[in-house]
mmCIF file of all heavy atoms in Angstrom:
data_model
loop_
_atom_site.group_PDB
_atom_site.id
_atom_site.type_symbol
_atom_site.label_atom_id
_atom_site.label_comp_id
_atom_site.label_asym_id
_atom_site.label_seq_id
_atom_site.Cartn_x
_atom_site.Cartn_y
_atom_site.Cartn_z
ATOM 1 N N ASN J 77 -67.708 -0.259 22.280
ATOM 2 C CA ASN J 77 -68.534 -1.477 22.444
ATOM 3 C C ASN J 77 -67.994 -2.254 23.671
ATOM 4 O O ASN J 77 -67.221 -3.169 23.564
ATOM 5 C CB ASN J 77 -68.504 -2.375 21.215
ATOM 6 C CG ASN J 77 -69.442 -3.584 21.379
ATOM 7 O OD1 ASN J 77 -70.142 -3.667 22.361
ATOM 8 N ND2 ASN J 77 -69.298 -4.486 20.428
ATOM 9 N N ASN J 78 -68.456 -1.827 24.848
ATOM 10 C CA ASN J 78 -67.961 -2.377 26.083
ATOM 11 C C ASN J 78 -69.015 -3.283 26.796
ATOM 12 O O ASN J 78 -68.957 -3.405 28.019
ATOM 13 C CB ASN J 78 -67.516 -1.231 27.036
ATOM 14 C CG ASN J 78 -66.172 -0.626 26.452
ATOM 15 O OD1 ASN J 78 -65.227 -1.359 26.327
ATOM 16 N ND2 ASN J 78 -66.287 0.635 26.150
ATOM 17 N N LEU J 79 -69.867 -3.902 26.016
ATOM 18 C CA LEU J 79 -70.874 -4.750 26.637
ATOM 19 C C LEU J 79 -70.276 -5.875 27.436
ATOM 20 O O LEU J 79 -70.688 -6.128 28.598
ATOM 21 C CB LEU J 79 -71.764 -5.341 25.516
ATOM 22 C CG LEU J 79 -72.955 -6.150 25.988
ATOM 23 C CD1 LEU J 79 -73.891 -5.310 26.910
ATOM 24 C CD2 LEU J 79 -73.780 -6.703 24.839
ATOM 25 N N ARG J 80 -69.212 -6.531 26.964
ATOM 26 C CA ARG J 80 -68.603 -7.653 27.730
ATOM 27 C C ARG J 80 -67.964 -7.085 28.970
ATOM 28 O O ARG J 80 -68.077 -7.729 30.057
ATOM 29 C CB ARG J 80 -67.470 -8.293 26.862
ATOM 30 C CG ARG J 80 -68.014 -9.256 25.801
ATOM 31 C CD ARG J 80 -66.931 -10.033 25.073
ATOM 32 N NE ARG J 80 -66.095 -10.725 26.019
ATOM 33 C CZ ARG J 80 -64.780 -10.833 25.866
ATOM 34 N NH1 ARG J 80 -64.156 -10.295 24.819
ATOM 35 N NH2 ARG J 80 -64.047 -11.465 26.751
ATOM 36 N N GLN J 81 -67.322 -5.931 28.906
ATOM 37 C CA GLN J 81 -66.742 -5.361 30.095
ATOM 38 C C GLN J 81 -67.766 -4.969 31.133
ATOM 39 O O GLN J 81 -67.648 -5.262 32.290
ATOM 40 C CB GLN J 81 -65.937 -4.034 29.735
ATOM 41 C CG GLN J 81 -65.257 -3.438 30.932
ATOM 42 C CD GLN J 81 -64.752 -2.038 30.582
ATOM 43 O OE1 GLN J 81 -65.417 -1.278 29.938
ATOM 44 N NE2 GLN J 81 -63.573 -1.726 31.089
ATOM 45 N N LEU J 82 -68.891 -4.406 30.676
ATOM 46 C CA LEU J 82 -69.962 -3.994 31.570
ATOM 47 C C LEU J 82 -70.625 -5.270 32.226
ATOM 48 O O LEU J 82 -70.895 -5.252 33.398
ATOM 49 C CB LEU J 82 -70.990 -3.187 30.869
ATOM 50 C CG LEU J 82 -70.443 -1.806 30.336
ATOM 51 C CD1 LEU J 82 -71.501 -1.157 29.463
ATOM 52 C CD2 LEU J 82 -70.188 -0.901 31.545
ATOM 53 N N GLU J 83 -70.838 -6.334 31.446
ATOM 54 C CA GLU J 83 -71.408 -7.553 32.010
ATOM 55 C C GLU J 83 -70.457 -8.125 33.046
ATOM 56 O O GLU J 83 -70.954 -8.578 34.097
ATOM 57 C CB GLU J 83 -71.633 -8.539 30.846
ATOM 58 C CG GLU J 83 -72.822 -8.204 29.960
ATOM 59 C CD GLU J 83 -72.913 -9.067 28.747
ATOM 60 O OE1 GLU J 83 -71.907 -9.730 28.363
ATOM 61 O OE2 GLU J 83 -73.990 -9.091 28.105
ATOM 62 N N HIS J 84 -69.166 -8.127 32.792
ATOM 63 C CA HIS J 84 -68.218 -8.689 33.629
ATOM 64 C C HIS J 84 -68.193 -7.815 34.974
ATOM 65 O O HIS J 84 -68.101 -8.359 36.076
ATOM 66 C CB HIS J 84 -66.808 -8.693 33.015
ATOM 67 C CG HIS J 84 -65.742 -9.443 33.787
ATOM 68 N ND1 HIS J 84 -65.823 -10.815 33.862
ATOM 69 C CD2 HIS J 84 -64.680 -9.029 34.468
ATOM 70 C CE1 HIS J 84 -64.782 -11.235 34.567
ATOM 71 N NE2 HIS J 84 -64.065 -10.155 34.967
ATOM 72 N N PHE J 85 -68.245 -6.503 34.789
ATOM 73 C CA PHE J 85 -68.260 -5.589 35.944
ATOM 74 C C PHE J 85 -69.474 -5.816 36.808
ATOM 75 O O PHE J 85 -69.452 -5.878 38.040
ATOM 76 C CB PHE J 85 -68.180 -4.121 35.464
ATOM 77 C CG PHE J 85 -67.887 -3.135 36.577
ATOM 78 C CD1 PHE J 85 -67.082 -3.415 37.582
ATOM 79 C CD2 PHE J 85 -68.456 -1.916 36.467
ATOM 80 C CE1 PHE J 85 -66.756 -2.452 38.592
ATOM 81 C CE2 PHE J 85 -68.213 -0.943 37.439
ATOM 82 C CZ PHE J 85 -67.395 -1.268 38.544
ATOM 83 N N LEU J 86 -70.660 -6.018 36.193
ATOM 84 C CA LEU J 86 -71.865 -6.314 36.931
ATOM 85 C C LEU J 86 -71.747 -7.612 37.731
ATOM 86 O O LEU J 86 -72.191 -7.717 38.898
ATOM 87 C CB LEU J 86 -73.085 -6.429 36.035
ATOM 88 C CG LEU J 86 -73.685 -5.047 35.559
ATOM 89 C CD1 LEU J 86 -74.764 -5.309 34.503
ATOM 90 C CD2 LEU J 86 -74.214 -4.303 36.719
ATOM 91 N N ALA J 87 -71.119 -8.621 37.141
ATOM 92 C CA ALA J 87 -70.898 -9.860 37.864
ATOM 93 C C ALA J 87 -69.963 -9.672 39.062
ATOM 94 O O ALA J 87 -70.186 -10.188 40.154
ATOM 95 C CB ALA J 87 -70.256 -10.860 36.912
ATOM 96 N N LYS J 88 -68.944 -8.817 38.867
ATOM 97 C CA LYS J 88 -68.002 -8.527 40.017
ATOM 98 C C LYS J 88 -68.781 -7.743 41.072
ATOM 99 O O LYS J 88 -68.555 -7.948 42.283
ATOM 100 C CB LYS J 88 -66.824 -7.684 39.478
ATOM 101 C CG LYS J 88 -65.884 -8.472 38.646
ATOM 102 C CD LYS J 88 -65.203 -9.556 39.418
ATOM 103 C CE LYS J 88 -64.294 -10.379 38.481
ATOM 104 N NZ LYS J 88 -63.772 -11.541 39.208
ATOM 105 N N ILE J 89 -69.631 -6.853 40.725
ATOM 106 C CA ILE J 89 -70.399 -6.060 41.678
ATOM 107 C C ILE J 89 -71.297 -6.984 42.474
ATOM 108 O O ILE J 89 -71.389 -6.887 43.683
ATOM 109 C CB ILE J 89 -71.236 -4.962 40.965
ATOM 110 C CG1 ILE J 89 -70.287 -3.858 40.457
ATOM 111 C CG2 ILE J 89 -72.331 -4.406 41.894
ATOM 112 C CD1 ILE J 89 -70.985 -2.853 39.503
ATOM 113 N N ALA J 90 -71.978 -7.904 41.797
ATOM 114 C CA ALA J 90 -72.848 -8.863 42.476
ATOM 115 C C ALA J 90 -72.060 -9.739 43.425
ATOM 116 O O ALA J 90 -72.492 -9.994 44.575
ATOM 117 C CB ALA J 90 -73.567 -9.715 41.463
ATOM 118 N N GLU J 91 -70.907 -10.213 43.013
ATOM 119 C CA GLU J 91 -70.054 -11.017 43.846
ATOM 120 C C GLU J 91 -69.607 -10.234 45.069
ATOM 121 O O GLU J 91 -69.680 -10.787 46.207
ATOM 122 C CB GLU J 91 -68.816 -11.483 43.000
ATOM 123 C CG GLU J 91 -67.833 -12.353 43.806
ATOM 124 C CD GLU J 91 -66.684 -12.680 42.933
ATOM 125 O OE1 GLU J 91 -66.792 -12.841 41.709
ATOM 126 O OE2 GLU J 91 -65.578 -12.867 43.559
ATOM 127 N N ARG J 92 -69.165 -8.998 44.855
ATOM 128 C CA ARG J 92 -68.737 -8.138 45.988
ATOM 129 C C ARG J 92 -69.876 -7.872 46.950
ATOM 130 O O ARG J 92 -69.688 -7.911 48.187
ATOM 131 C CB ARG J 92 -68.181 -6.825 45.443
ATOM 132 C CG ARG J 92 -67.585 -5.949 46.521
ATOM 133 C CD ARG J 92 -66.308 -6.579 47.096
ATOM 134 N NE ARG J 92 -65.779 -5.629 48.108
ATOM 135 C CZ ARG J 92 -65.431 -6.045 49.311
ATOM 136 N NH1 ARG J 92 -65.515 -7.259 49.688
ATOM 137 N NH2 ARG J 92 -64.980 -5.156 50.165
ATOM 138 N N ARG J 93 -71.076 -7.664 46.432
ATOM 139 C CA ARG J 93 -72.273 -7.419 47.271
ATOM 140 C C ARG J 93 -72.540 -8.681 48.086
ATOM 141 O O ARG J 93 -72.826 -8.603 49.365
ATOM 142 C CB ARG J 93 -73.485 -7.125 46.413
ATOM 143 C CG ARG J 93 -74.704 -6.629 47.176
ATOM 144 C CD ARG J 93 -75.814 -6.266 46.267
ATOM 145 N NE ARG J 93 -75.546 -5.266 45.275
ATOM 146 C CZ ARG J 93 -75.505 -3.978 45.484
ATOM 147 N NH1 ARG J 93 -75.799 -3.479 46.634
ATOM 148 N NH2 ARG J 93 -75.246 -3.163 44.483
ATOM 149 N N ARG J 94 -72.413 -9.877 47.488
ATOM 150 C CA ARG J 94 -72.617 -11.111 48.307
ATOM 151 C C ARG J 94 -71.563 -11.228 49.433
ATOM 152 O O ARG J 94 -71.918 -11.638 50.570
ATOM 153 C CB ARG J 94 -72.519 -12.352 47.403
ATOM 154 C CG ARG J 94 -73.801 -12.607 46.600
ATOM 155 C CD ARG J 94 -73.751 -13.974 45.898
ATOM 156 N NE ARG J 94 -72.730 -14.070 44.860
ATOM 157 C CZ ARG J 94 -72.769 -13.643 43.624
ATOM 158 N NH1 ARG J 94 -73.923 -13.100 43.199
ATOM 159 N NH2 ARG J 94 -71.784 -13.754 42.775
ATOM 160 N N GLN J 95 -70.356 -10.879 49.121
ATOM 161 C CA GLN J 95 -69.314 -10.930 50.173
ATOM 162 C C GLN J 95 -69.577 -9.920 51.266
ATOM 163 O O GLN J 95 -69.487 -10.338 52.493
ATOM 164 C CB GLN J 95 -67.913 -10.532 49.533
ATOM 165 C CG GLN J 95 -67.342 -11.550 48.632
ATOM 166 C CD GLN J 95 -66.109 -11.030 47.853
ATOM 167 O OE1 GLN J 95 -65.819 -9.823 47.911
ATOM 168 N NE2 GLN J 95 -65.452 -11.939 47.183
ATOM 169 N N LEU J 96 -69.993 -8.769 50.968
ATOM 170 C CA LEU J 96 -70.362 -7.764 51.972
ATOM 171 C C LEU J 96 -71.578 -8.196 52.817
ATOM 172 O O LEU J 96 -71.563 -8.044 54.013
ATOM 173 C CB LEU J 96 -70.609 -6.391 51.357
ATOM 174 C CG LEU J 96 -69.387 -5.668 50.752
ATOM 175 C CD1 LEU J 96 -69.771 -4.460 49.988
ATOM 176 C CD2 LEU J 96 -68.403 -5.376 51.889
ATOM 177 N N GLU J 97 -72.558 -8.814 52.203
ATOM 178 C CA GLU J 97 -73.748 -9.298 52.908
ATOM 179 C C GLU J 97 -73.297 -10.397 53.886
ATOM 180 O O GLU J 97 -73.806 -10.412 55.035
ATOM 181 C CB GLU J 97 -74.807 -9.787 51.919
ATOM 182 C CG GLU J 97 -75.499 -8.622 51.227
ATOM 183 C CD GLU J 97 -76.381 -9.056 50.085
ATOM 184 O OE1 GLU J 97 -76.436 -10.236 49.729
ATOM 185 O OE2 GLU J 97 -77.023 -8.165 49.508
ATOM 186 N N GLN J 98 -72.407 -11.263 53.457
ATOM 187 C CA GLN J 98 -71.914 -12.327 54.376
ATOM 188 C C GLN J 98 -71.112 -11.744 55.567
ATOM 189 O O GLN J 98 -71.271 -12.153 56.647
ATOM 190 C CB GLN J 98 -71.031 -13.315 53.631
ATOM 191 C CG GLN J 98 -70.534 -14.473 54.487
ATOM 192 C CD GLN J 98 -71.712 -15.293 55.080
ATOM 193 O OE1 GLN J 98 -72.590 -15.742 54.399
ATOM 194 N NE2 GLN J 98 -71.654 -15.422 56.413
ATOM 195 N N GLN J 99 -70.322 -10.678 55.213
ATOM 196 C CA GLN J 99 -69.580 -10.005 56.316
ATOM 197 C C GLN J 99 -70.523 -9.383 57.289
ATOM 198 O O GLN J 99 -70.266 -9.434 58.496
ATOM 199 C CB GLN J 99 -68.627 -8.965 55.739
ATOM 200 C CG GLN J 99 -67.411 -9.597 54.979
ATOM 201 C CD GLN J 99 -66.561 -8.547 54.379
ATOM 202 O OE1 GLN J 99 -66.963 -7.461 53.992
ATOM 203 N NE2 GLN J 99 -65.276 -8.847 54.190
ATOM 204 N N LEU J 100 -71.594 -8.760 56.782
ATOM 205 C CA LEU J 100 -72.597 -8.193 57.701
ATOM 206 C C LEU J 100 -73.204 -9.242 58.589
ATOM 207 O O LEU J 100 -73.379 -9.030 59.815
ATOM 208 C CB LEU J 100 -73.717 -7.474 56.931
ATOM 209 C CG LEU J 100 -73.374 -6.044 56.448
ATOM 210 C CD1 LEU J 100 -74.514 -5.574 55.499
ATOM 211 C CD2 LEU J 100 -73.222 -5.140 57.593
ATOM 212 N N LEU J 101 -73.581 -10.377 58.055
ATOM 213 C CA LEU J 101 -74.101 -11.471 58.848
ATOM 214 C C LEU J 101 -73.089 -11.951 59.904
ATOM 215 O O LEU J 101 -73.442 -12.171 61.072
ATOM 216 C CB LEU J 101 -74.486 -12.679 57.982
ATOM 217 C CG LEU J 101 -75.734 -12.478 57.121
ATOM 218 C CD1 LEU J 101 -75.903 -13.643 56.120
ATOM 219 C CD2 LEU J 101 -76.968 -12.250 57.904
ATOM 220 N N ASP J 102 -71.820 -12.041 59.499
ATOM 221 C CA ASP J 102 -70.757 -12.447 60.388
ATOM 222 C C ASP J 102 -70.591 -11.442 61.551
ATOM 223 O O ASP J 102 -70.424 -11.803 62.708
ATOM 224 C CB ASP J 102 -69.428 -12.619 59.665
ATOM 225 C CG ASP J 102 -69.458 -13.763 58.705
ATOM 226 O OD1 ASP J 102 -70.384 -14.669 58.778
ATOM 227 O OD2 ASP J 102 -68.521 -13.846 57.846
ATOM 228 N N ILE J 103 -70.661 -10.168 61.205
ATOM 229 C CA ILE J 103 -70.568 -9.090 62.222
ATOM 230 C C ILE J 103 -71.727 -9.121 63.173
ATOM 231 O O ILE J 103 -71.515 -9.027 64.403
ATOM 232 C CB ILE J 103 -70.475 -7.677 61.522
ATOM 233 C CG1 ILE J 103 -69.121 -7.501 60.835
ATOM 234 C CG2 ILE J 103 -70.697 -6.554 62.519
ATOM 235 C CD1 ILE J 103 -69.016 -6.357 59.910
ATOM 236 N N ARG J 104 -72.886 -9.310 62.658
ATOM 237 C CA ARG J 104 -74.073 -9.419 63.548
ATOM 238 C C ARG J 104 -73.939 -10.625 64.501
ATOM 239 O O ARG J 104 -74.263 -10.499 65.692
ATOM 240 C CB ARG J 104 -75.395 -9.486 62.748
ATOM 241 C CG ARG J 104 -75.700 -8.215 62.089
ATOM 242 C CD ARG J 104 -77.059 -8.197 61.354
ATOM 243 N NE ARG J 104 -77.293 -7.008 60.592
ATOM 244 C CZ ARG J 104 -77.369 -6.906 59.274
ATOM 245 N NH1 ARG J 104 -77.339 -7.995 58.533
ATOM 246 N NH2 ARG J 104 -77.581 -5.748 58.711
ATOM 247 N N GLN J 105 -73.515 -11.729 63.960
ATOM 248 C CA GLN J 105 -73.271 -12.903 64.802
ATOM 249 C C GLN J 105 -72.220 -12.639 65.903
ATOM 250 O O GLN J 105 -72.431 -13.010 67.060
ATOM 251 C CB GLN J 105 -72.856 -14.132 63.962
ATOM 252 C CG GLN J 105 -72.705 -15.399 64.751
ATOM 253 C CD GLN J 105 -73.966 -15.868 65.440
ATOM 254 O OE1 GLN J 105 -75.024 -15.769 64.894
ATOM 255 N NE2 GLN J 105 -73.860 -16.297 66.710
ATOM 256 N N MET J 106 -71.157 -12.017 65.520
ATOM 257 C CA MET J 106 -70.104 -11.639 66.453
ATOM 258 C C MET J 106 -70.639 -10.698 67.516
ATOM 259 O O MET J 106 -70.320 -10.864 68.735
ATOM 260 C CB MET J 106 -68.928 -10.997 65.728
ATOM 261 C CG MET J 106 -67.753 -10.623 66.690
ATOM 262 S SD MET J 106 -67.021 -12.064 67.537
ATOM 263 C CE MET J 106 -66.134 -12.741 66.189
ATOM 264 N N GLN J 107 -71.463 -9.756 67.162
ATOM 265 C CA GLN J 107 -72.067 -8.779 68.144
ATOM 266 C C GLN J 107 -72.936 -9.607 69.132
ATOM 267 O O GLN J 107 -72.886 -9.309 70.362
ATOM 268 C CB GLN J 107 -72.930 -7.742 67.409
ATOM 269 C CG GLN J 107 -72.068 -6.662 66.710
ATOM 270 C CD GLN J 107 -72.912 -5.759 65.900
ATOM 271 O OE1 GLN J 107 -73.922 -6.136 65.291
ATOM 272 N NE2 GLN J 107 -72.504 -4.497 65.893
#
Side-chain angles (χ1 to χ4, degrees):
N77 183 7
N78 288 300
L79 186 59
R80 284 187 53 220
Q81 182 193 42
L82 294 169
E83 288 170 342
H84 191 70
F85 192 35
L86 281 174
K88 292 293 178 188
I89 289 169
E91 179 182 330
R92 185 68 179 130
R93 189 178 304 278
R94 281 189 297 276
Q95 290 171 348
L96 289 172
E97 287 168 356
Q98 183 59 54
Q99 287 176 334
L100 277 172
L101 290 172
D102 293 344
I103 289 169
R104 288 185 186 116
Q105 182 62 40
M106 179 63 73
Q107 286 174 322

